[in-house]
C-alpha cells in the first residue's frame, strides 16, 4: 500500500509517497482499506514542525478515514465484518491506502453516506460539538463570531449554529463571502482588509458577541469582541503558519505575543476563556464515540451536511497542503484513494 510521509519539516513538497506492506490488524483492530482521508490544518502544522502532538518524524499523519473493512484482527468484532463501509478516527496514520484501527474508533456508515463526506465529519464536527455545545452552550438568539468561517471547522460550526438558532458573524478571505452568506452567515468580515474587532462592534451596536471560536491566535482581540457573559474558545494558532515554509522566528513572535487572561479580570469582565484540543481527548474514546454516533444520527436526519470543498488523490497530498495554505479551500479538503 502507498502512504504519505512527513520525513522532515518544510514546504508541502517534503511530503513523500512511499510503498510498503499493508499493516496487520492487531488484537481488537480491523484493517480498513481507505477510500477517503480528511486533511486537517493540524497536518499542515505537523509538516511545518509546529505541532507538538505529532508523532516523531518520519511519520504518517491523518486523523480520519473512510473506507471498507478488509480484515479483522484477533478478537475484533463490534458488529464489524469484512466488506462493511466505515468511517474511523485514526488519530495518526490516515494518509495511507490501508490502516489498522481499534474497533472502538470505527463506525459503520449510514445508508447513502459517501466516503468523502464521511471522512469530512470526525475532526471538524467533534471539535465543533465540544466548542459550541459542551463549552459554548450555544442557544437561540446567540451571536457567534467564527474565525476562518469558510474552512473545514468553520463550515461545521455554521451548521451547528443554525441548528441552535444562533446568528453567525464569520471572518474569511473576501472571495469566500458569497458562499458564506449562502451557508447562512449573517455578516462576513474580510479579516485581511478590515479590523474584525471594529466590525464586530459596529455590527452588534457595541454589545459584542456571545461566543467566539478562534483558532487563528488573535485571542486578545477576540476576547474584546465578547459581550458580558461571553465565551472565547481558543483552539488553534493558524497565525503561526506564516507561509508554506516554516518560519520559527515568525511563529515564536506569535507565541510570545499571546495574551494572559488574569482570573481577576475574567471575574470583573464576566467572561470565560476556554481551551479545546480534541487530540487530547483521545483516551476518552467512549465520550468521543457517543458524540460521533450522535453526529452520524444528525447526518441521517439531514441536520448536518459536510462541505467537501475539494478532493485530491492521496499521492497529491502536497498539492492539498499547498491549497489549504494558500487559503483557497472552502470547507473540507479530502484525499481519495
Ligand atoms: N484544537 C482542536 O481540537 C482543533 C481541531 C480541529 C481544528 N483545529 C484548528 O482549527 C483551525 C481550522 O482547522 P481546519 O482543519 O478546519 O482548517 P481550515 O479552516 O480549513 O484552514 C484553512 C483556512 O484557514 C484560513 N487561515 C487563517 N489563517 C491562516 C494561515 N495562517 N494560513 C493558512 N490559512 C489560514 C484560510 O481561510 P480564510 O483566509 O478564508 O480565513 C484557509 O483557507 C486550525 O487552526 C486548526 O488547527 C483545532
Amino acid at each position: 500500500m502507498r502512504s504519505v510521509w512527513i520525513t522532515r519539516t518544510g514546504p508541502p513538497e517534503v511530503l513523500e509517497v512511499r510503498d510498503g506492506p499493508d499493516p496487520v490488524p492487531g488484537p481488537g483492530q480491523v484493517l480498513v482499506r481507505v477510500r477517503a482521508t480528511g486533511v486537517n490544518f493540524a497536518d499542515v502544522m505537523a509538516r511545518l514542525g509546529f505541532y507538538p502532538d505529532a508523532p516523531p518524524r518520519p511519520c504518517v499523519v491523518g486523523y480520519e478515514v473512510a473506507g471498507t473493512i478488509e480484515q479483522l484482527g484477533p478478537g475484533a468484532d463490534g458488529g464489524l465484518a469484512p466488506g462493511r463501509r466505515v468511517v474511523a478516527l485514526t488519530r495518526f496514520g490516515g494518509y495511507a491506502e490501508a490502516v489498522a484501527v481499534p474497533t472502538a474508533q470505527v463506525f459503520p456508515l449510514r445508508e447513502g453516506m459517501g466516503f468523502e463526506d464521511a471522512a469530512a465529519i470526525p475532526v471538524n464536527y467533534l471539535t465543533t460539538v465540544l466548542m459550541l455545545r459542551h463549552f459554548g452552550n450555544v442557544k437561540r438568539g446567540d451571536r457567534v463570531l467564527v474565525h476562518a468561517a469558510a474552512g473545514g471547522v468553520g463550515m461545521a460550526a455554521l451548521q451547528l449554529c443554525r441548528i441552535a438558532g444562533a446568528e453567525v458573524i464569520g471572518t474569511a478571505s473576501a472571495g469566500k463571502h458569497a458562499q458564506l452568506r449562502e451557508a447562512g452567515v449573517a455578516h462576513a468580515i474580510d479579516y485581511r482588509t478590515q479590523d474584525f474587532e471594529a466590525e464586530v462592534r459596529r455590527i452588534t451596536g457595541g454589545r459584542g458577541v456571545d461566543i467566539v471560536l478562534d483558532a487563528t491566535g488573535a485571542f486578545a482581540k477576540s476576547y474584546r469582541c465578547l459581550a458580558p457573559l461571553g465565551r472565547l474558545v481558543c483552539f488553534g494558532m493558524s497565525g503561526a503558519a506564516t507561509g508554506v515554509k516554516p518560519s520559527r522566528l515568525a511563529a515564536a513572535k506569535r507565541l510570545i505575543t499571546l495574551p494572559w487572561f488574569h482570573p481577576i479580570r475574567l471575574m470583573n469582565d464576566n467572561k470565560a476563556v476556554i481551551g479545546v484540543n480534541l487530540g487530547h481527548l483521545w483516551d476518552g474514546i467512549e465520550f468521543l464515540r457517543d458524540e460521533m454516533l450522535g453526529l452520524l444520527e444528525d447526518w441521517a436526519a439531514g441536520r448536518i451536511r459536510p462541505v467537501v470543498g475539494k478532493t485530491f488523490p492521496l499521492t497529491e497530498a502536497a498539492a492539498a497542503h499547498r491549497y489549504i495554505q494558500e487559503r483557497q479551500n472552502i470547507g473540507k479538503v479530502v484525499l481519495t484513494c
Side-chain angles (χ1 to χ4, degrees), residues 39-42 45 123-124 127 148-154 171-173 176 191-192 215-216 235-242 276-279 324-329 331-332:
V39 180
N40 288 290
F41 204 82
M45 294 298 251
V123 172
N124 290 352
T127 306
V153 171
T171 72
S173 299
K176 304 176 185 176
Y191 69 101
R192 293 162 87 169
T216 68
F235 69 112
M237 273 288 298
S238 61
T242 49
V276 164
N277 186 337
L278 181 69
I324 289 174
Q325 282 201 274
E326 288 173 350
R327 307 180 196 222
Q328 295 190 55
N329 66 301
K332 184 82 172 178

Side-chain angles (χ1 to χ4, degrees), residues 185-209:
V185 166
H187 307 274
I189 301 172
D190 177 7
Y191 69 101
R192 293 162 87 169
T193 57
Q194 291 174 294
D195 177 348
F196 75 79
E197 184 185 346
E199 280 300 294
V200 166
R201 209 170 289 136
R202 182 185 65 75
I203 292 162
T204 61
R207 178 183 176 271
V209 293

Side-chain angles (χ1 to χ4, degrees), residues 125 146 148-160 176 179-180 183 305 307 330-332:
Y125 284 88
V146 180
V153 171
M155 283 291 189
L158 302 189
Q159 294 178 14
L160 295 204
K176 304 176 185 176
Q179 212 152 329
L180 275 186
R305 281 288 173 268
V307 177
I330 295 184
K332 184 82 172 178

